[in-house]
Amino acid sequence: TDIYMYYGNSFASNQQNVQNVWDDDFIMIQHLNETSGIRTDSTQYDNDGTISGNVAHTVSGFISGADDFDGFNSVIDISTSSSLNSLDTMTAEAWINADNVAVDTAIVSFWYSSLDRTYLWLDDLSNGFRAWNSLDGRDEFEATSYVIPTEDVWYHIAWTIDGIYWKLFINGVAQDSTTESLTMDDLNDGFSVGIGERITQYDRTWDGIIDEVRISDISRSSDWIQTQYNNQRFPNTFYTVDPNEAFADWYDPSWSYRKTITIA
């Protein structure tokens, strides 16, 4: 795809449209670059987040600012909404950086009740990042990464559920997956979503920075996730910008007037 940039016209109006950057399947994009107050969803669905506990803004995010969780009782709570109510298949993504590699700590959680919930978390120092669910109180691990993070190192993590597999991706690379027909809808409608902790419990808080949390209501493909990682991790080599297009030799920049000729 060739994209041509038009610039230098002081009369051109600002045409940015923040919400329509994202396709309709993105139901929450949290950039987490606010310095205080509500964490604002960038999509059309208004899944804004409320801070509870000690969540600190930091300029040391992976993409602009981010939030630093204290490892004790901090969470960003995204209350139930119609877009989260209707989740069936799903993709959740985030950039994470551990201040302290603490086990049993949640990155993203979906909470319906104490019997119906699911998390993406750092389980222990043998299994690494895992996706876990409880359906009617029956606990199961559905996907395991065996990746143990190193402190002060950024990782991109993604988690997909498509009705056939639960999958994890670390830095764009597929990890272990589990054949499981269980979908988000089977875990009940009406989730509250937590970032950095499981909702209402305050005993699984991530200790470190979380940035750019994205949730889709479809299972993104492995190619999509790899491309997202490459684009965000290596933006300087992901695309190239060519020099300005040269004018023809006969053009004289001192000319004062021009007229558009329309050929119908």
Side-chain angles (χ1 to χ4, degrees):
T1 301
D2 294 329
I3 299 175
Y4 296 92
M5 184 180 296
Y6 172 77
Y7 61 96
N9 184 350
S10 61
F11 296 101
S13 61
N14 185 344
Q15 299 176 52
Q16 71 173 350
N17 188 326
V18 173
Q19 292 183 343
N20 285 335
V21 168
W22 314 107
D23 67 39
D24 291 341
D25 293 312
F26 275 119
I27 57 174
M28 190 193 79
I29 302 285
Q30 286 285 349
H31 299 305
L32 303 181
N33 55 10
E34 295 85 0
T35 57
S36 63
I38 298 296
R39 283 7 185 199
T40 304
D41 178 17
S42 186
T43 75
Q44 60 187 295
Y45 298 102
D46 297 325
N47 286 316
D48 298 338
T50 302
I51 297 294
S52 293
N54 184 25
V55 178
H57 174 76
T58 175
V59 295
S60 301
F62 189 81
I63 302 175
S64 188
D67 280 331
D68 198 345
F69 296 78
D70 67 358
F72 294 102
N73 66 348
S74 50
V75 66
I76 300 175
D77 186 345
I78 295 92
S79 299
T80 305
S81 72
S82 58
S83 57
L84 297 174
N85 280 346
S86 59
L87 276 179
D88 189 359
T89 56
M90 184 275 295
T91 301
E93 311 165 64
W95 283 93
I96 55 175
N97 186 313
D99 294 336
N100 176 43
V101 179
V103 300
D104 296 336
T105 53
I107 299 164
V108 179
S109 64
F110 297 83
W111 181 277
Y112 177 77
S113 71
S114 60
L115 299 180
D116 294 285
R117 60 203 193 277
T118 184
Y119 315 137
L120 173 61
W121 70 346
L122 178 60
D123 180 35
D124 56 39
L125 298 183
S126 296
N127 294 295
F129 296 110
R130 302 180 89 177
W132 173 93
N133 79 77
S134 176
L135 176 61
D136 297 328
R138 299 189 304 274
D139 301 348
E140 293 184 300
F141 287 105
E142 299 295 354
T144 302
S145 70
Y146 302 107
V147 173
I148 312 301
T150 301
E151 292 178 4
D152 299 322
V153 173
W154 283 102
Y155 297 84
H156 181 265
I157 189 165
W159 167 30
T160 64
I161 299 172
D162 64 7
I164 300 176
Y165 297 104
W166 289 43
K167 298 179 181 178
L168 289 183
F169 299 80
I170 305 294
N171 292 343
V173 178
Q175 308 293 307
D176 173 58
S177 64
T178 302
T179 303
E180 175 59 84
S181 60
L182 182 72
T183 67
M184 295 293 285
D185 189 53
D186 296 319
L187 293 165
N188 273 308
D189 289 337
F191 288 106
S192 291
V193 174
I195 299 174
E197 176 59 285
R198 52 181 196 163
I199 299 294
T200 77
Q201 301 299 297
Y202 302 105
D203 60 354
R204 297 287 188 271
T205 302
W206 176 255
D207 190 353
I209 305 172
I210 299 179
D211 198 4
E212 200 66 22
V213 181
R214 304 181 177 191
I215 297 176
S216 304
D217 62 4
I218 61 172
S219 177
R220 302 287 186 181
S221 70
S222 58
D223 287 340
W224 175 285
I225 292 169
Q226 179 75 64
T227 300
Q228 290 233 107
Y229 168 73
N230 289 339
N231 185 14
Q232 295 169 37
R233 179 66 181 85
F234 307 105
N236 292 333
T237 57
F238 183 79
Y239 65 91
T240 57
V241 179
D242 287 340
N244 291 347
E245 186 175 277
F247 286 109
D249 293 339
W250 49 263
Y251 180 79
D252 186 340
S254 66
W255 291 345
S256 301
Y257 304 100
R258 68 178 182 179
K259 181 176 179 63
T260 300
I261 300 173
T262 302
I263 301 174

